[in-house]
Amino acid sequence: MATILAARHGVSRWRDYLELTKPKVVALLVLTAWVGMMLASPGLPDVAVVVFATIGIGLLSGAAAALNHVVDQRIDAQMARTHSRPVAKGRVSSQQAVAFACALAATGFVLLYIGVNPLTAWLTLLSLFGYAVVYTMFLKRATPQNIVIGGLAGAMPPLLGWTAVTGEIHGYALLLVMIIFAWTPPHFWALAIHRRDDYAKVNMPMLPVTHGIEYTKSAILLYTVLLCLVCLLPYIVGMTGAVYLLGSTILNFRFLQYAWKLKFNADSKTAMATFKFSIIHLMVLFLVLLVDHYFKVSPFYVS
Ligand code: HEM
Ligand SMILES: CC(C)=CCC/C(C)=C/CC/C(C)=C/COP(=O)(O)OP(=O)(O)O
């Protein structure tokens, strides 16, 4: 009996540590880094670099997420969406979570530094700092523009993927960063509208709390228009081809439809539906970038 209980306890602890890393968010971050790696090379990049970069970027992102759980434990404990998180509930102590984050970060940094290159290692560490310290400790509590500025950390992975393969910062990679940068405000504000009361309760200056729901809906619509324009840039500069133009246009049109409905014809489910669609949008957009890239280098492509 004691052995069964101990085994169950082990499984639940393992799950708690996994939850600390925000695995679904990290999965999408790593996908965008992967696309950066693939687009940076005409053929397939070196497999060892891809493996080390994937693990390293994943570990440092997971470490950043775990630190966010420690810093935010008090507000997490008071919000309906986050009250049962491992640190907020006390299932994992702050010390354990910080030790876990440090172990992940150190392993990730060494893997990137030795197995990939120092530039990627330092840029990824800078992203961790941007999210766990600049965004979580300061911006989040200071200004409703928190996610506009803090979003830069989460937008970095395609650049990290690019530098992993080439060792250089390239303008094309910065265009991919700009796409995620413009995508983040509609992504987060849609959720923040749905969870407005939660954020108000813990005094977080999120846009729907400080400026109201209508203002936030207008901001979402405007940022979605900006996102559509930014998404055209890779095609305009010749980085991508027709497959990307078609795919991104369909996705952006759909995103605009959600943002328009949210502003002018919303029901109680529209904000959450917009948030969920934002995740599908970014995931499919980056897969389309990949398909476009391999189509362009395939023998079927006629320029
Ligand atoms: C500062 C920038 C960002 C903010 C403030 C933000 C905020 C959030 C919040 C509050 C959630 C809900 C989490 C939950 O319910 O536990 C969420 C979910 C999510 N975010 Fe973001 N996000 C940001 C950037 C990103 C980026 C850059 C990506 C990926 C490239 C991303 C991907 C996701 C995914 C996949 C989910 C769903 C997670 C799940 O279902 O468990 N986010 N985001
Ligand atoms: C190394 C690297 C690329 C770092 C980026 C790390 C990272 C995990 C970015 C994701 C952004 C995110 C989930 C923000 C939500 O934080 P929140 O505190 O506003 O949301 P919460 O209330 O759900 O915790």
Side-chain angles (χ1 to χ4, degrees), residues 22 25-26 29 57 60-61 64-65 68 72 76 79 81-82 85 124 127-128 131 135 140 153-154 157 160 188 199 206:
K22 302 194 180 179
V25 179
V26 171
L29 289 168
I57 295 167
L60 280 155
S61 303
N68 170 276
D72 278 352
D76 280 351
M79 296 202 295
R81 179 174 62 82
T82 51
R85 285 183 170 176
T124 314
S127 309
L128 175 150
Y131 175 61
Y135 169 72
K140 187 171 172 178
L160 305 175
F188 174 68
Y199 283 120
M206 299 306 183

Side-chain angles (χ1 to χ4, degrees), residues 8-23:
R8 273 197 195 146
H9 188 60
V11 171
S12 66
R13 286 194 71 84
W14 180 83
R15 286 221 179 103
D16 283 337
Y17 280 96
L18 182 67
E19 190 183 339
L20 285 183
T21 64
K22 302 194 180 179

Side-chain angles (χ1 to χ4, degrees), residues 188-227:
F188 174 68
W189 285 333
L191 179 85
I193 286 177
H194 186 75
R195 296 287 182 181
R196 187 212 161 271
D197 295 347
D198 247 4
Y199 283 120
K201 192 166 88 180
V202 294
N203 280 322
M204 281 298 116
M206 299 306 183
L207 201 60
V209 178
T210 58
H211 289 66
I213 301 262
E214 279 312 313
Y215 185 95
T216 308
K217 287 177 175 176
S218 303
I220 289 177
L221 188 54
L222 288 175
Y223 267 96
T224 310
V225 172
L226 181 70
L227 174 65

Side-chain angles (χ1 to χ4, degrees), residues 252-273:
N252 288 336
F253 182 71
R254 198 80 192 94
F255 207 166
L256 270 178
Q257 278 184 321
Y258 272 101
W260 188 269
K261 182 172 184 209
L262 186 62
K263 176 68 195 166
F264 297 111
N265 191 21
D267 58 41
S268 61
K269 295 196 178 114
T270 315
M272 208 49 197

Side-chain angles (χ1 to χ4, degrees), residues 19 22-30 32 81-82 85 131 135 140 146-157 180-181 183-185 187-189 191-192 195 199 206 272 275 278-279 282 286:
E19 190 183 339
K22 302 194 180 179
K24 288 185 187 162
V25 179
V26 171
L28 188 52
L29 289 168
V30 168
T32 65
R81 179 174 62 82
T82 51
R85 285 183 170 176
Y131 175 61
Y135 169 72
K140 187 171 172 178
N146 45 21
I147 53 116
V148 178
I149 315 163
L152 197 55
M156 288 287 278
I180 306 181
F181 185 67
W183 165 91
T184 302
H187 162 70
F188 174 68
W189 285 333
L191 179 85
R195 296 287 182 181
Y199 283 120
M206 299 306 183
M272 208 49 197
F275 167 72
S278 73
I279 294 167
L282 195 72
F286 272 75

Side-chain angles (χ1 to χ4, degrees), residues 60-170:
L60 280 155
S61 303
L67 292 173
N68 170 276
H69 279 240
V70 178
V71 175
D72 278 352
Q73 57 184 292
R74 271 188 211 92
I75 61 164
D76 280 351
Q78 296 172 66
M79 296 202 295
R81 179 174 62 82
T82 51
H83 76 278
S84 62
R85 285 183 170 176
V87 182
K89 265 275 183 255
R91 295 193 303 275
V92 175
S93 72
S94 298
Q95 289 91 325
Q96 286 170 324
V98 170
F100 174 63
C102 289
L104 294 188
T107 313
F109 185 81
V110 170
L111 280 180
L112 289 177
Y113 199 93
I114 296 171
V116 180
N117 55 51
L119 176 65
T120 308
W122 287 116
L123 282 176
T124 314
L125 192 65
L126 192 69
S127 309
L128 175 150
F129 186 80
Y131 175 61
V133 179
V134 179
Y135 169 72
T136 307
M137 290 178 80
F138 299 105
L139 287 173
K140 187 171 172 178
R141 286 144 172 88
T143 160
Q145 291 301 312
N146 45 21
I147 53 116
V148 178
I149 315 163
L152 197 55
M156 288 287 278
L159 175 65
L160 305 175
W162 197 290
T163 61
V165 170
T166 64
E168 285 169 7
I169 295 174
H170 191 286

